[in-house]
Amino acid sequence: MSSEPLKTVLPQESLPLTGIRVVELCNVAAGPFCAMLLADMGADLIKVENPDGGDTLRSWPPLTDGYSENFASLNRNKRSVTLNLKLPTDVELFKQLVQDADVLIENNRPGVMNRLGLGYASLSSINPKLIYCSISAYGQEGPRAKEGGFDLTIQAMSGLMSVTGEQGGAPVKCGVPVSDFTAGLYGAFSIAASLREVAQTGQGKQLDISMLGATLGIAALQTSEFFGGGYDPVKLGSAHPRNAPYRVFRAKDDYFGMAAGNNALWRSVCETINRKDLLDDDRFTNPTNRARNQDDLLIILEQAFAHENAAVWLERFNLAGVPCAPINSYSQILSDPQVDYMNWVQPIDLPNGVQTQTFGSPVRIDSKTLNIRRRPPALGEHNDEVLGALGALSALGALTKKVS
């Protein structure tokens, strides 16, 4: 892919959060993802890292000439400074950074920021307009607040694993770290909403975003099933508890996904497989009946699908207007013409001079893709630029010289 700027990108001055300064004190996924979403929208993002290695994601493979591409995927459009918050001088520097910021994002365990003298009460006293967003496993208060958590443990705790996988199979997690990234999404959404109110009132906010709450928040299908029916949802593999056909099917050579989520689409399925008799079958007359009898339906449909390859059925269902898709690998979907048209895969330079690719922001504004304005930073790369502007380089002393 060419390294030339994309012609359809949105210029910096048109980005919604241009002029907003965000300070990030986060590690690994949920917090850095939240911060990157704001940075993609134009915010000036200053990432504060410990000088001893920085964000632990920096050590995660794949490493390209020593630089983590995993880190790069969550830390574009940011500047990095290093501060040791166990040192009083660096705590004061951090306060100076926050004094002129609009937003602080942190994902330490509850209580850590207070022990450092950097809790909401302390920082809001020097910056009353500050939006202080804390992301944690279980929230800042409550009986589990002090418990740690990672994506795996939250997927287990939240009930997500109880509905993931095949019936009778061992518990499995979603392949994507959904608890991390939903927490980051809720955080970014809440910050963006709060910025509007703070602009009107001048009064900052303390936001408490938990991975547990975020994972439950996107489980409306399952929680409503429990509240409405009084029973626990169960694993259904790729099937849907309330609709059918709506799952993965096996064809002659491979699997494919097909979702006929209403009666009109079901009629198109029956016509496509030349089984109009199924329209009069009492088991399949509406989505509820089809879902209740979807094991029988699976057998009937896969008997028909066994006569042709998956690509043939995908072509036929697409022509009939029935939503369907191949089971893509990431190499396949990242080279898909729709992804290419949207300019979602963009070139990105690493601090070591190596050019690679990354998946940029999926959001488009006025038919324009959000550009990657700044490559991911080296550890402490912007100490001079950011801390020097505060007149603080002398306070860093030898430590600043070491990491700059």
Side-chain angles (χ1 to χ4, degrees):
M1 180 178 288
S2 171
S3 61
E4 292 297 316
L6 298 170
K7 295 181 180 179
T8 58
V9 298
L10 211 62
Q12 167 72 47
E13 61 270 17
S14 298
L15 294 171
L17 295 183
T18 295
I20 298 297
R21 171 165 286 191
V22 179
V23 175
E24 173 202 327
L25 185 63
C26 300
N27 271 292
V28 187
F33 180 62
C34 174
M36 185 181 71
L37 296 177
L38 302 176
D40 284 347
M41 287 292 177
D44 175 20
L45 205 298
I46 300 174
K47 183 180 182 74
V48 178
E49 302 182 72
N50 190 301
D52 185 18
D55 186 335
T56 55
L57 199 63
R58 287 184 178 274
S59 65
W60 285 28
L63 300 176
T64 300
D65 289 350
Y67 195 90
S68 169
E69 296 208 27
N70 199 169
F71 175 87
S73 70
L74 292 178
N75 288 281
R76 61 177 176 260
N77 295 329
K78 300 180 183 181
R79 295 186 284 173
S80 169
V81 301
T82 53
L83 292 173
N84 182 352
L85 296 181
K86 294 181 180 179
L87 300 177
T89 52
D90 285 15
V91 168
E92 289 305 311
L93 288 175
F94 186 83
K95 289 181 177 179
Q96 288 184 52
L97 273 179
V98 172
Q99 188 170 3
D100 294 323
D102 298 284
V103 180
L104 170 68
I105 306 170
E106 62 92 11
N107 67 348
N108 296 281
R109 281 203 192 193
V112 169
M113 294 296 280
N114 284 332
R115 289 197 295 273
L116 293 171
L118 299 173
Y120 176 68
S122 174
L123 296 184
S124 64
S125 68
I126 62 174
N127 183 355
K129 295 182 179 181
L130 182 67
I131 297 171
Y132 190 113
C133 180
S134 296
I135 300 177
S136 62
Y138 294 104
Q140 299 300 301
E141 300 175 342
R144 294 193 184 275
K146 295 187 181 302
E147 295 182 24
F150 288 98
D151 182 82
L152 170 70
T153 59
I154 299 302
Q155 286 199 37
M157 177 67 76
S158 67
L160 181 59
M161 283 192 185
S162 75
V163 295
T164 304
E166 297 292 339
Q167 287 180 315
V172 296
K173 69 177 181 65
C174 177
V176 173
V178 63
S179 296
D180 276 327
F181 291 125
T182 51
L185 281 164
Y186 269 104
F189 164 74
S190 300
I191 289 167
S194 297
L195 282 168
R196 181 176 184 273
E197 183 178 0
V198 172
Q200 295 172 334
T201 67
Q203 180 60 50
K205 296 286 181 184
Q206 183 177 18
L207 303 177
D208 182 0
I209 308 296
S210 71
M211 293 166 63
L212 177 63
T215 309
L216 283 166
I218 62 168
L221 187 67
Q222 286 70 33
T223 56
S224 63
E225 190 171 354
F226 170 73
F227 291 136
Y231 54 85
D232 280 319
V234 298
K235 298 176 184 177
L236 293 173
S238 64
H240 194 287
R242 303 174 201 174
N243 218 330
Y246 195 106
R247 67 190 305 164
V248 168
F249 296 94
R250 184 173 182 84
K252 183 178 181 180
D253 67 331
D254 204 354
Y255 291 92
F256 68 97
M258 185 265 287
N262 58 48
N263 287 334
L265 291 172
W266 167 238
R267 173 174 289 278
S268 295
V269 169
C270 295
E271 293 172 348
T272 300
I273 66 173
N274 294 318
R275 287 294 307 273
K276 291 184 179 180
D277 58 293
L278 296 176
L279 294 170
D280 298 320
D281 192 315
D282 290 341
R283 295 172 296 174
F284 311 134
T285 53
N286 56 57
T288 299
N289 286 347
R290 291 193 291 274
R292 185 180 296 121
N293 296 287
Q294 61 180 300
D295 289 342
D296 294 341
L297 184 58
L298 175 65
I299 294 171
I300 293 170
L301 293 180
E302 286 195 337
Q303 286 175 344
F305 297 153
H307 296 291
E308 302 286 356
N309 288 342
V312 173
W313 290 115
L314 289 170
E315 182 179 7
R316 291 177 180 177
F317 283 129
N318 270 317
L319 287 172
V322 178
C324 59
I327 311 300
N328 278 331
S329 65
Y330 278 98
S331 62
Q332 290 170 319
I333 187 55
L334 290 174
S335 61
D336 187 86
Q338 182 68 21
V339 174
D340 181 62
Y341 177 86
M342 292 292 190
N343 291 322
W344 285 335
V345 176
Q346 297 188 28
I348 190 169
D349 293 324
L350 303 180
N352 55 20
V354 174
Q355 187 179 86
T356 183
Q357 290 179 304
T358 194
F359 190 91
S361 173
V363 177
R364 302 186 93 209
I365 299 177
D366 294 333
S367 298
K368 295 181 175 63
T369 300
L370 303 186
N371 195 21
I372 297 174
R373 309 182 312 283
R374 187 186 291 272
R375 63 164 173 76
L379 180 61
E381 179 179 347
H382 301 96
N383 280 355
D384 287 348
E385 180 180 314
V386 176
L387 301 181
L390 298 175
L393 283 180
S394 59
L396 286 178
L399 177 59
T400 300
K401 294 178 182 178
K402 179 180 178 181
V403 298
S404 298

mmCIF file of all heavy atoms in Angstrom, residues 1 9 15 18 38 41 60 80 83 89 101 112 114 136 158 165 199 210 242 246 315 360 363 368:
data_model
loop_
_atom_site.group_PDB
_atom_site.id
_atom_site.type_symbol
_atom_site.label_atom_id
_atom_site.label_comp_id
_atom_site.label_asym_id
_atom_site.label_seq_id
_atom_site.Cartn_x
_atom_site.Cartn_y
_atom_site.Cartn_z
ATOM 1 N N MET A 1 0.852 -1.202 0.000
ATOM 2 C CA MET A 1 0.000 0.000 0.000
ATOM 3 C C MET A 1 0.885 1.248 0.000
ATOM 4 O O MET A 1 1.884 1.320 0.700
ATOM 5 C CB MET A 1 -0.904 0.007 1.228
ATOM 6 C CG MET A 1 -1.808 1.235 1.296
ATOM 7 S SD MET A 1 -2.910 1.184 2.738
ATOM 8 C CE MET A 1 -4.024 -0.096 2.195
ATOM 9 N N VAL A 9 -9.286 11.533 3.510
ATOM 10 C CA VAL A 9 -9.182 11.680 4.963
ATOM 11 C C VAL A 9 -9.689 13.049 5.400
ATOM 12 O O VAL A 9 -9.692 14.013 4.637
ATOM 13 C CB VAL A 9 -7.737 11.481 5.457
ATOM 14 C CG1 VAL A 9 -7.259 10.087 5.131
ATOM 15 C CG2 VAL A 9 -6.812 12.529 4.865
ATOM 16 N N LEU A 15 -11.770 17.634 12.708
ATOM 17 C CA LEU A 15 -12.044 16.547 13.638
ATOM 18 C C LEU A 15 -12.810 17.066 14.858
ATOM 19 O O LEU A 15 -12.507 18.149 15.371
ATOM 20 C CB LEU A 15 -10.736 15.880 14.072
ATOM 21 C CG LEU A 15 -9.989 15.141 12.956
ATOM 22 C CD1 LEU A 15 -8.608 14.709 13.429
ATOM 23 C CD2 LEU A 15 -10.793 13.935 12.485
ATOM 24 N N THR A 18 -10.817 18.258 18.167
ATOM 25 C CA THR A 18 -9.664 19.148 18.053
ATOM 26 C C THR A 18 -9.734 20.220 19.143
ATOM 27 O O THR A 18 -10.782 20.838 19.351
ATOM 28 C CB THR A 18 -9.631 19.807 16.661
ATOM 29 O OG1 THR A 18 -9.427 18.802 15.671
ATOM 30 C CG2 THR A 18 -8.512 20.829 16.567
ATOM 31 N N LEU A 38 -10.494 8.679 21.376
ATOM 32 C CA LEU A 38 -10.558 10.132 21.495
ATOM 33 C C LEU A 38 -9.483 10.797 20.642
ATOM 34 O O LEU A 38 -9.722 11.823 20.002
ATOM 35 C CB LEU A 38 -10.412 10.547 22.954
ATOM 36 C CG LEU A 38 -11.447 9.971 23.925
ATOM 37 C CD1 LEU A 38 -11.117 10.387 25.352
ATOM 38 C CD2 LEU A 38 -12.857 10.420 23.559
ATOM 39 N N MET A 41 -10.338 11.042 17.072
ATOM 40 C CA MET A 41 -11.303 12.110 16.811
ATOM 41 C C MET A 41 -10.691 13.508 16.961
ATOM 42 O O MET A 41 -11.405 14.504 16.931
ATOM 43 C CB MET A 41 -12.497 11.970 17.758
ATOM 44 C CG MET A 41 -13.412 10.816 17.411
ATOM 45 S SD MET A 41 -14.275 11.121 15.849
ATOM 46 C CE MET A 41 -15.182 9.582 15.669
ATOM 47 N N TRP A 60 4.699 -6.913 24.214
ATOM 48 C CA TRP A 60 3.895 -7.987 23.632
ATOM 49 C C TRP A 60 4.237 -8.182 22.147
ATOM 50 O O TRP A 60 4.363 -7.212 21.397
ATOM 51 C CB TRP A 60 2.407 -7.675 23.766
ATOM 52 C CG TRP A 60 1.859 -7.850 25.154
ATOM 53 C CD1 TRP A 60 2.543 -7.734 26.329
ATOM 54 C CD2 TRP A 60 0.506 -8.148 25.505
ATOM 55 N NE1 TRP A 60 1.707 -7.941 27.392
ATOM 56 C CE2 TRP A 60 0.440 -8.209 26.909
ATOM 57 C CE3 TRP A 60 -0.646 -8.374 24.771
ATOM 58 C CZ2 TRP A 60 -0.733 -8.477 27.596
ATOM 59 C CZ3 TRP A 60 -1.831 -8.640 25.453
ATOM 60 C CH2 TRP A 60 -1.866 -8.701 26.845
ATOM 61 N N SER A 80 4.084 10.390 24.031
ATOM 62 C CA SER A 80 4.484 9.671 25.244
ATOM 63 C C SER A 80 5.459 10.498 26.070
ATOM 64 O O SER A 80 6.447 11.027 25.545
ATOM 65 C CB SER A 80 5.138 8.332 24.879
ATOM 66 O OG SER A 80 5.762 7.744 26.016
ATOM 67 N N LEU A 83 7.041 9.514 33.539
ATOM 68 C CA LEU A 83 7.055 10.048 34.896
ATOM 69 C C LEU A 83 7.025 8.877 35.874
ATOM 70 O O LEU A 83 6.275 7.920 35.682
ATOM 71 C CB LEU A 83 5.835 10.947 35.153
ATOM 72 C CG LEU A 83 5.774 12.272 34.397
ATOM 73 C CD1 LEU A 83 4.428 12.948 34.625
ATOM 74 C CD2 LEU A 83 6.915 13.200 34.828
ATOM 75 N N THR A 89 8.458 14.761 42.989
ATOM 76 C CA THR A 89 8.668 15.749 41.925
ATOM 77 C C THR A 89 7.874 15.394 40.676
ATOM 78 O O THR A 89 7.305 16.271 40.010
ATOM 79 C CB THR A 89 10.157 15.839 41.567
ATOM 80 O OG1 THR A 89 10.653 14.518 41.291
ATOM 81 C CG2 THR A 89 10.951 16.435 42.724
ATOM 82 N N ALA A 101 -5.556 20.057 31.353
ATOM 83 C CA ALA A 101 -6.205 19.018 30.547
ATOM 84 C C ALA A 101 -7.718 19.105 30.666
ATOM 85 O O ALA A 101 -8.268 19.632 31.643
ATOM 86 C CB ALA A 101 -5.722 17.636 30.979
ATOM 87 N N VAL A 112 -5.482 3.111 44.014
ATOM 88 C CA VAL A 112 -4.098 3.441 43.674
ATOM 89 C C VAL A 112 -3.922 4.935 43.462
ATOM 90 O O VAL A 112 -2.979 5.551 43.981
ATOM 91 C CB VAL A 112 -3.647 2.664 42.423
ATOM 92 C CG1 VAL A 112 -2.311 3.193 41.907
ATOM 93 C CG2 VAL A 112 -3.527 1.180 42.738
ATOM 94 N N ASN A 114 -5.665 7.428 44.599
ATOM 95 C CA ASN A 114 -5.776 8.152 45.875
ATOM 96 C C ASN A 114 -4.491 8.047 46.678
ATOM 97 O O ASN A 114 -4.041 9.026 47.298
ATOM 98 C CB ASN A 114 -6.954 7.615 46.689
ATOM 99 C CG ASN A 114 -8.290 8.104 46.158
ATOM 100 O OD1 ASN A 114 -8.384 9.177 45.567
ATOM 101 N ND2 ASN A 114 -9.338 7.316 46.350
ATOM 102 N N SER A 136 -11.900 0.132 35.404
ATOM 103 C CA SER A 136 -11.417 -0.946 36.262
ATOM 104 C C SER A 136 -12.221 -2.205 35.991
ATOM 105 O O SER A 136 -13.166 -2.204 35.199
ATOM 106 C CB SER A 136 -11.536 -0.552 37.738
ATOM 107 O OG SER A 136 -12.895 -0.332 38.086
ATOM 108 N N SER A 158 -18.965 -12.396 34.020
ATOM 109 C CA SER A 158 -20.131 -11.681 33.483
ATOM 110 C C SER A 158 -21.222 -12.587 32.939
ATOM 111 O O SER A 158 -22.310 -12.116 32.622
ATOM 112 C CB SER A 158 -19.673 -10.749 32.352
ATOM 113 O OG SER A 158 -19.205 -11.509 31.250
ATOM 114 N N GLY A 165 -19.822 -20.839 22.832
ATOM 115 C CA GLY A 165 -19.362 -22.182 22.521
ATOM 116 C C GLY A 165 -20.508 -23.098 22.161
ATOM 117 O O GLY A 165 -21.670 -22.686 22.078
ATOM 118 N N ALA A 199 -18.766 21.812 29.014
ATOM 119 C CA ALA A 199 -18.681 23.065 28.255
ATOM 120 C C ALA A 199 -19.810 24.013 28.631
ATOM 121 O O ALA A 199 -19.651 25.241 28.585
ATOM 122 C CB ALA A 199 -18.719 22.766 26.762
ATOM 123 N N SER A 210 -16.702 0.197 34.470
ATOM 124 C CA SER A 210 -16.223 -1.132 34.845
ATOM 125 C C SER A 210 -16.331 -2.092 33.673
ATOM 126 O O SER A 210 -17.293 -2.034 32.891
ATOM 127 C CB SER A 210 -17.014 -1.675 36.034
ATOM 128 O OG SER A 210 -18.331 -2.011 35.666
ATOM 129 N N ARG A 242 -33.739 -16.767 19.538
ATOM 130 C CA ARG A 242 -35.092 -16.334 19.218
ATOM 131 C C ARG A 242 -35.382 -16.232 17.732
ATOM 132 O O ARG A 242 -36.417 -15.705 17.339
ATOM 133 C CB ARG A 242 -35.360 -14.970 19.871
ATOM 134 C CG ARG A 242 -35.168 -14.999 21.373
ATOM 135 C CD ARG A 242 -35.282 -13.635 21.994
ATOM 136 N NE ARG A 242 -34.609 -13.625 23.301
ATOM 137 C CZ ARG A 242 -34.443 -12.542 24.037
ATOM 138 N NH1 ARG A 242 -34.903 -11.400 23.624
ATOM 139 N NH2 ARG A 242 -33.811 -12.610 25.194
ATOM 140 N N TYR A 246 -30.574 -18.695 11.504
ATOM 141 C CA TYR A 246 -29.713 -17.585 11.901
ATOM 142 C C TYR A 246 -28.489 -18.206 12.567
ATOM 143 O O TYR A 246 -28.373 -18.230 13.772
ATOM 144 C CB TYR A 246 -30.479 -16.688 12.879
ATOM 145 C CG TYR A 246 -29.887 -15.327 13.127
ATOM 146 C CD1 TYR A 246 -30.468 -14.187 12.583
ATOM 147 C CD2 TYR A 246 -28.767 -15.164 13.933
ATOM 148 C CE1 TYR A 246 -29.958 -12.923 12.832
ATOM 149 C CE2 TYR A 246 -28.246 -13.905 14.191
ATOM 150 C CZ TYR A 246 -28.830 -12.789 13.642
ATOM 151 O OH TYR A 246 -28.319 -11.539 13.891
ATOM 152 N N GLU A 315 -23.501 -17.111 -3.288
ATOM 153 C CA GLU A 315 -23.922 -16.387 -4.491
ATOM 154 C C GLU A 315 -25.442 -16.416 -4.637
ATOM 155 O O GLU A 315 -26.071 -15.389 -4.925
ATOM 156 C CB GLU A 315 -23.259 -17.003 -5.725
ATOM 157 C CG GLU A 315 -23.614 -16.282 -7.018
ATOM 158 C CD GLU A 315 -22.929 -16.889 -8.235
ATOM 159 O OE1 GLU A 315 -22.281 -17.951 -8.080
ATOM 160 O OE2 GLU A 315 -23.055 -16.316 -9.329
ATOM 161 N N GLY A 360 -7.115 1.279 11.018
ATOM 162 C CA GLY A 360 -7.374 2.583 11.611
ATOM 163 C C GLY A 360 -8.777 2.688 12.168
ATOM 164 O O GLY A 360 -9.455 1.688 12.410
ATOM 165 N N VAL A 363 -14.606 4.700 11.794
ATOM 166 C CA VAL A 363 -15.591 5.774 11.674
ATOM 167 C C VAL A 363 -15.279 6.639 10.457
ATOM 168 O O VAL A 363 -14.128 6.986 10.199
ATOM 169 C CB VAL A 363 -15.596 6.647 12.938
ATOM 170 C CG1 VAL A 363 -16.567 7.813 12.792
ATOM 171 C CG2 VAL A 363 -15.938 5.805 14.164
ATOM 172 N N LYS A 368 -15.573 10.696 4.697
ATOM 173 C CA LYS A 368 -14.114 10.736 4.770
ATOM 174 C C LYS A 368 -13.615 9.855 5.910
ATOM 175 O O LYS A 368 -14.185 9.832 6.999
ATOM 176 C CB LYS A 368 -13.612 12.164 4.950
ATOM 177 C CG LYS A 368 -13.892 13.084 3.760
ATOM 178 C CD LYS A 368 -13.338 14.471 4.005
ATOM 179 C CE LYS A 368 -13.504 15.352 2.758
ATOM 180 N NZ LYS A 368 -14.915 15.563 2.426
#
